[in-house]
Amino acid sequence: MSHESDDIDEAVAGELRLMDPRVRTSREAARRLLDPEFVEVGASGRRWTLEEMLAALPEMSGGSTDAPRYEPSAMAGVVLAPGLVHLTYETAIGGRRARRSSLWRKRSEATGWQMYYHQATPVPPEAA
């Protein structure tokens, strides 16, 4: 297996962990997966910083073990540069779909792979 595919696998694993309700409700676990310079543009169009996301994540969709969970599909990744992976995929939750794009970066072995940027774009039913 090539080093690039290992990097993509690590980013995919991190992305999937961030969809886990146990991670979404743990500020510590989520912080380990989000880069200190993290920014998200959500499906609502809102821009989120790291601290805003950590505060809101437990209450967001997919944050409860007894509620609907994100169902990812068509996940693909590419290494843009050493230590930088771009993932694209779609999610469905509670009848809503979104196309998603994430940048994962690894600044050191100590930090490991962390999500640096995420954007979600809603998919209207007629575009599905």
Side-chain angles (χ1 to χ4, degrees):
M1 188 179 269
S2 76
H3 179 67
E4 284 193 357
S5 64
D6 288 346
D7 290 350
I8 293 168
D9 289 347
E10 291 277 342
V12 167
E15 193 83 36
L16 294 175
R17 281 195 301 276
L18 279 169
M19 291 182 211
D20 184 329
R22 292 167 299 186
V23 171
R24 295 175 79 79
T25 56
S26 167
R27 197 175 179 106
E28 276 183 45
R31 185 182 293 278
R32 282 192 298 274
L33 291 168
L34 298 176
D35 190 275
E37 298 174 1
F38 170 82
V39 172
E40 174 170 332
V41 177
S44 66
R46 178 178 172 175
R47 183 183 184 278
W48 299 83
T49 65
L50 172 63
E51 292 303 323
E52 290 168 336
M53 182 57 67
L54 290 173
L57 203 52
E59 305 303 319
M60 296 175 105
S61 296
S64 172
T65 54
D66 58 356
R69 293 178 65 163
Y70 282 99
E71 298 174 27
S73 62
M75 197 171 284
V78 64
V79 175
L80 299 177
L84 186 63
V85 171
H86 180 215
L87 296 181
T88 56
Y89 62 101
E90 291 191 18
T91 56
I93 187 169
R96 296 183 321 273
R97 292 185 50 223
R99 292 193 176 102
R100 297 180 177 271
S101 175
S102 297
L103 290 175
W104 285 78
R105 74 176 176 180
K106 183 177 182 181
R107 292 179 299 149
S108 72
E109 288 299 324
T111 62
W113 286 94
Q114 294 178 308
M115 183 186 283
Y116 171 73
Y117 179 81
H118 183 77
Q119 183 155 354
T121 303
V123 179
E126 63 274 13

